[in-house]
Amino acid sequence: MNISEKITAGETTPEDRSLAIREALRNAIIDRRLAPGTKLSENEVGALFDVSRTVARAALQMLTFEGLVKTERNRGAFVSNPTPEEARQIFASRRLIEPGIIAAAVERITDADIEEFRRQLQEEESYMNERGPAARRAEIKASGDFHLMLASVAGNVILQRFMDELVARSSLVIALYGRTGVSSCGHSEHFAILDALQAGDGERAAALMLHHIDHIEADLDLQIKQGLGLKDALTLA
Amino acid sequence: MNISEKITAGETTPEDRSLAIREALRNAIIDRRLAPGTKLSENEVGALFDVSRTVARAALQMLTFEGLVKTERNRGAFVSNPTPEEARQIFASRRLIEPGIIAAAVERITDADIEEFRRQLQEEESYMNERGPAARRAEIKASGDFHLMLASVAGNVILQRFMDELVARSSLVIALYGRTGVSSCGHSEHFAILDALQAGDGERAAALMLHHIDHIEADLDLQIKQGLGLKDALTLA
DNA sequence: ACTGCCAAGATTGCATACGATTTGCACATC
DNA sequence: GATGTGCAAATCGTATGCAATCTTGGCAGT
């Protein structure tokens, strides 16, 4: 486990450090710096962030709630290893929620928001032109941020939190099951959605969003790894 | 704070006791045995369930994540006191999610499920015929259980968890802002939804569900109590 | 009599300590 | 050589202790 954000997380927060740790681990997980299945021992996490097990434990507990880590009693916490079924449910949930978010966002979005979105899309674009795993991770994250900003604009904090979780888990799934470079497609779709939004055409934006989610999911290879860890081990042996 | 389920929660769980405590507190909150604003001190909770502050704290942390309690740093945890705005967002979220759940449920529901649902509706009915706050609480809970069972049938564990949270918070909101006996209306609506479901008519079931949610929200009085607790105290004085 | 300050009490935040459970390895046995 | 058993290391679950922070009551000064 090597998490470079260690210091970044530990200093700027005079308050709840467990929140900072949660954030750092969260980023590490969705950036895929922490691979699924990685063990997150309380001792280790605590040592890395220079806190006691108590606060490390709290952070892990939060992540467990978000579905990013799975804890087994008396065994420890592990970075979640989503099954294809989970992946399908995640995207099914997104297909349900995101059109609603679009509908709310189209009512509330301001010019300043649109400006901000354009900046965000440019950032995506810049990552898109680079190669290598780091750029790909950054792209996945930036892509997720687009959806998160949308949820933020929609103005429903509950849905926003749901999307927070869904996007994070999606990133994990994409990193796990994603094939190559369809993300470029995703980027242009973000653009189209924003255009529809700017035009005030919620219907079209929602339809585009559904399409977009379909595309993301279609890019996944959810056939393999169907079995559980046990089966995997057996077939691999 | 007097929670009678104390022993029930503490004994049957050889495993994680904090989960049991969370469940007990959860029930107490949505049953309105714990009024919004009630302070939940770690010491007190721990003493009630005969555990240390550590595990009590974990339970409170979980409830905070669910939005049922609010914690203020260095001040403690309090039963959540949803604002009208929060209430609106809760119901907006439900309007978005529940039709989707219906759509999934209509595909997967079995005869056995329908049987189970009928039993559930009968239980609701029995509470409906009684009077008194206890019966009303039980009715609210039973009514929520209907929606939860629906989510369970839909087979998407993520949406199920979202609904878990939304229903719990709805119960709190209804108890806070609800007027009198529109719940009877709600019951018949449950029945109509189940009928549509049994007939395999997802469209109608979804439409009925939307109507149902609208009715529930329409029964709320979300105008008053706009201000914080302070103003409340002042106007009451 | 009212306002501002200070100290005592209470409660949380965090660290550490101890017991329980699991895992892996070594050793004895077949 | 393979297998089963037992011990030891590691890790989690929980309790408790101490420091920091907030609240509250009283006291002095104006």
Side-chain angles (χ1 to χ4, degrees):
Chain A
M1 196 191 314
N2 73 24
I3 304 165
S4 49
E5 312 185 27
K6 177 180 166 185
I7 302 119
T8 322
E11 50 159 317
T12 54
T13 41
E15 51 158 342
D16 263 23
R17 285 177 289 176
S18 59
L19 274 180
I21 296 178
R22 159 177 175 260
E23 208 58 35
L25 286 179
R26 216 180 116 95
N27 283 333
I29 291 174
I30 71 182
D31 280 0
R32 198 84 198 288
R33 294 198 305 277
L34 287 171
T38 305
K39 170 153 196 179
L40 300 173
S41 136
E42 296 179 357
N43 264 322
E44 209 169 347
V45 173
L48 269 174
F49 292 95
D50 217 38
V51 295
S52 83
R53 277 180 50 215
T54 308
V55 44
R57 188 185 179 78
L60 291 174
Q61 195 178 341
M62 291 191 265
L63 291 169
T64 301
F65 249 80
E66 289 183 287
L68 287 182
V69 315
K70 288 230 184 306
T71 47
E72 299 171 36
R73 179 171 181 92
N74 276 321
R75 295 231 332 118
F78 304 83
V79 177
S80 201
N81 202 334
T83 65
E85 176 58 23
E86 279 180 284
R88 273 186 279 267
Q89 294 188 0
I90 288 168
F91 282 98
S93 304
R94 289 187 62 167
R95 265 193 295 271
L96 185 56
I97 292 178
E98 299 216 48
I101 286 186
I102 291 271
V106 75
E107 302 288 339
R108 306 180 81 247
I109 198 165
T110 68
D111 289 347
D113 291 329
I114 296 206
E115 188 68 23
E116 179 79 21
F117 272 84
R118 299 238 178 253
R119 264 200 299 279
Q120 171 68 18
L121 288 182
Q122 277 169 13
E123 193 179 336
E124 277 188 59
E125 209 158 38
S126 71
Y127 288 126
M128 229 181 61
N129 293 331
E130 298 178 25
R131 289 293 159 202
R136 179 152 177 266
R137 286 195 304 239
E139 189 187 347
I140 291 179
K141 181 160 173 54
S143 166
D145 285 346
F146 175 82
H147 295 260
L148 254 43
M149 286 170 61
L150 220 43
S152 161
V153 169
N156 185 323
V157 293
I158 297 169
L159 290 181
Q160 193 177 342
R161 192 154 48 73
F162 288 172
M163 279 305 300
D164 240 50
E165 173 176 336
L166 288 173
V167 167
R169 295 179 74 168
S170 293
S171 297
L172 198 52
V173 166
I174 293 171
L176 257 181
Y177 297 107
R179 291 193 269 253
T180 49
V182 182
S183 359
S184 53
C185 166
H187 174 72
S188 70
E189 286 176 354
H190 284 182
F191 232 109
I193 290 171
L194 182 56
D195 285 343
L197 231 40
Q198 188 164 21
D201 188 347
E203 294 283 335
R204 186 158 59 97
L208 287 169
M209 175 61 88
L210 274 182
H211 231 75
H212 176 47
I213 299 176
D214 284 343
H215 280 176
I216 299 177
E217 189 174 6
D219 181 48
L220 303 179
D221 188 4
L222 295 179
Q223 302 328 81
I224 41 172
K225 274 198 173 179
Q226 185 70 277
L228 292 76
L230 178 61
K231 280 190 192 168
D232 276 11
L234 290 175
T235 54
L236 285 179
Chain B
M1 194 191 314
N2 74 25
I3 303 166
S4 50
E5 314 185 26
K6 176 181 165 185
I7 303 120
T8 322
E11 51 158 316
T12 53
T13 40
E15 50 157 345
D16 264 25
R17 286 179 286 176
S18 58
L19 274 179
I21 295 178
R22 160 177 174 258
E23 207 57 36
L25 286 179
R26 215 179 117 95
N27 283 332
I29 291 173
I30 71 182
D31 280 2
R32 198 82 199 290
R33 295 198 304 275
L34 287 172
T38 305
K39 169 153 194 177
L40 300 173
S41 130
E42 296 178 357
N43 264 322
E44 209 169 348
V45 173
L48 269 172
F49 291 95
D50 216 39
V51 294
S52 83
R53 278 177 49 215
T54 308
V55 45
R57 188 185 179 78
L60 291 174
Q61 194 179 343
M62 291 191 265
L63 290 168
T64 301
F65 249 81
E66 288 183 287
L68 287 180
V69 317
K70 289 229 183 307
T71 40
E72 298 171 38
R73 180 172 179 92
N74 277 321
R75 297 231 331 119
F78 304 84
V79 177
S80 200
N81 203 335
T83 65
E85 176 57 23
E86 279 180 285
R88 273 185 281 267
Q89 294 188 1
I90 289 168
F91 282 99
S93 304
R94 289 186 62 167
R95 264 194 295 272
L96 184 57
I97 292 178
E98 298 216 48
I101 286 185
I102 290 272
V106 74
E107 301 288 340
R108 306 180 81 248
I109 198 166
T110 67
D111 289 347
D113 291 329
I114 296 204
E115 187 68 23
E116 180 78 21
F117 272 83
R118 298 240 176 253
R119 263 200 300 279
Q120 172 67 16
L121 289 182
Q122 276 170 13
E123 192 178 338
E124 277 188 59
E125 208 158 39
S126 70
Y127 289 125
M128 230 182 61
N129 293 331
E130 297 177 27
R131 290 291 162 202
R136 180 155 175 264
R137 287 195 304 240
E139 190 188 347
I140 291 179
K141 182 162 172 51
S143 167
D145 284 346
F146 175 81
H147 295 260
L148 255 44
M149 286 170 60
L150 220 44
S152 160
V153 169
N156 185 323
V157 293
I158 297 169
L159 290 181
Q160 192 176 344
R161 191 153 49 74
F162 289 170
M163 279 306 300
D164 241 49
E165 173 176 336
L166 288 173
V167 167
R169 296 179 75 169
S170 294
S171 298
L172 199 51
V173 167
I174 292 171
L176 259 180
Y177 298 107
R179 290 193 271 254
T180 47
V182 182
S183 359
S184 52
C185 167
H187 174 74
S188 70
E189 287 175 354
H190 284 181
F191 232 109
I193 291 170
L194 183 56
D195 285 344
L197 232 40
Q198 188 165 23
D201 189 347
E203 295 283 335
R204 186 158 59 96
L208 286 169
M209 175 60 87
L210 274 181
H211 230 77
H212 176 48
I213 299 175
D214 284 342
H215 280 176
I216 298 178
E217 188 173 8
D219 181 47
L220 302 180
D221 188 4
L222 295 179
Q223 301 328 82
I224 44 172
K225 273 197 172 177
Q226 187 72 276
L228 291 76
L230 179 61
K231 280 191 193 169
D232 275 13
L234 290 175
T235 53
L236 286 177

